[in-house]
Each structure stands twice: as structure tokens, then as C-alpha cells.
Amino acid sequence: SQPQTLKYREGLLQCQMELGHLETTIANATGMIARKPEWKSELNGYRVHAAWRLCDWASLHSFVKDKSLPCFETSMGQIIAAAQQKRLDKFNSLIADARDGLLRKLSAVSSEFGSYERAYEHMLELHMVRDIEHAVLPILEQQEGAPSRVAEIKQTVAEFHTRVSLT
């Protein structure tokens, strides 16, 4: 029957994500994967996205180990997991991969009619990648015994607060 198709299940999960029902999204995606393991790569991205939005780091680390279709939300989950594990090389590699993927999408969209509307989402995603890089890199690069980067980190936090207060 139609409600059992992957397309309809993904629609349900997307609605739950947009409504902010993140725990429900994880529970439903996990249940769907248990019933239909062949859907795991298509549905795991919803679990990754919900976990990082919930700051549920244990679940995030578990979900990023599973195979997922490449998408921005999964990339962000992997970036956050690498930052949490203090894996600077992996963090930098994932940031570069995410940026390259987004720039390819922007390049493809730029020549189309109405490209601004289609490019806007990718521009926001690129901004998110830059923000997480800007916020996390000084912390990951901080070496024991090295001069403190606390002032730089405080400046970054102050900039984020200023930007949020303007929106």
C-alpha cells in the first residue's frame, strides 16, 4: 500500500522535523529502519539531523557510523561528531568536503532562471559551515601548553550574540 512506500515515510519524517518533533523523528526513523533495513541509508540522515539539533551526542555518534545518503544534514552531523571527538584532521577534511559540495551545488544553480531562490538555501548552509568552522577551530587547534586562545573564542561568541540580536 502507498503509506508503506519510502517516499511517504520520508514525507512523514520531514514533517516531524519541520514541526520540531525531533525525538519522534528519531523514534519513527529507527522503527522504520528496523522494519525495512533496506531503507537505512535513505532514512538515517533524519536521525543524524534530529540528534545534532537535540544535542544528543551519544545518539549522534551512533548514527553517523551508519551508512547515509550524502546530504548537508548528515555532513553537519559528521562535522559536529568530529569536533566532539576533538579530531582536528577529520574536522578539517569534513569542513572542506561540505564546502566543496555546497559550492558545486551553487555553481550548478547559478546559471538557471530564478537561481536566487534556489541558491538561497545553499548559501545559508555554506554560512552554517563557516560558522561552525569559525567557532570550533580555535578550540580544536588549542594545544596543551600553547598560548591561550580564550580571547579569540570570547570574541567569536560576542560576534555570534551580536548577530543573533540583530535577527
Side-chain angles (χ1 to χ4, degrees):
S1 72
Q2 287 184 351
Q4 296 304 317
T5 65
L6 177 60
K7 181 177 111 177
Y8 289 105
R9 296 300 178 150
E10 285 183 299
L12 172 68
L13 295 173
Q14 186 62 40
C15 285
Q16 290 171 337
M17 289 293 297
E18 290 177 12
L19 290 170
H21 299 174
L22 305 176
E23 286 108 352
T24 304
T25 302
I26 291 173
N28 282 339
T30 301
M32 291 174 199
I33 290 168
R35 283 191 297 288
K36 298 263 192 180
E38 64 271 18
W39 291 355
K40 187 175 208 170
S41 64
E42 288 87 354
L43 300 180
N44 192 52
Y46 293 98
R47 298 190 308 171
V48 170
H49 187 190
W52 65 257
R53 285 189 50 197
L54 285 167
C55 302
D56 181 352
W57 308 130
S59 294
L60 176 64
H61 292 294
S62 172
F63 299 151
V64 296
K65 291 177 187 173
D66 292 335
K67 188 175 185 327
S68 297
L69 292 178
C71 67
F72 174 74
E73 291 78 9
T74 302
S75 295
M76 284 299 288
Q78 293 168 336
I79 290 167
I80 292 167
Q84 283 255 310
Q85 295 167 338
K86 296 180 172 58
R87 297 179 60 194
L88 179 60
D89 290 341
K90 181 145 180 96
F91 177 82
N92 284 331
S93 171
L94 291 166
I95 288 281
D97 290 348
R99 185 179 293 119
D100 290 347
L102 289 167
L103 290 174
R104 276 194 300 279
K105 288 178 184 178
L106 284 168
S107 177
V109 166
S110 68
S111 62
E112 298 175 6
F113 177 75
S115 62
Y116 178 78
E117 291 83 10
R118 293 210 43 228
Y120 186 76
E121 176 184 349
H122 303 306
M123 291 297 296
L124 289 177
E125 291 170 346
L126 192 59
H127 197 63
M128 287 174 65
V129 169
R130 178 62 188 126
D131 279 352
I132 196 167
E133 180 183 34
H134 188 69
V136 173
L137 206 52
I139 297 167
L140 292 180
E141 289 178 337
Q142 180 65 46
Q143 303 273 331
E144 191 152 329
S148 176
R149 297 182 76 176
V150 171
E152 182 179 349
I153 294 166
K154 284 182 179 180
Q155 176 64 32
T156 299
V157 170
E159 288 172 12
F160 287 154
H161 282 288
T162 302
R163 284 182 24 211
V164 169
S165 70
L166 294 174
T167 56

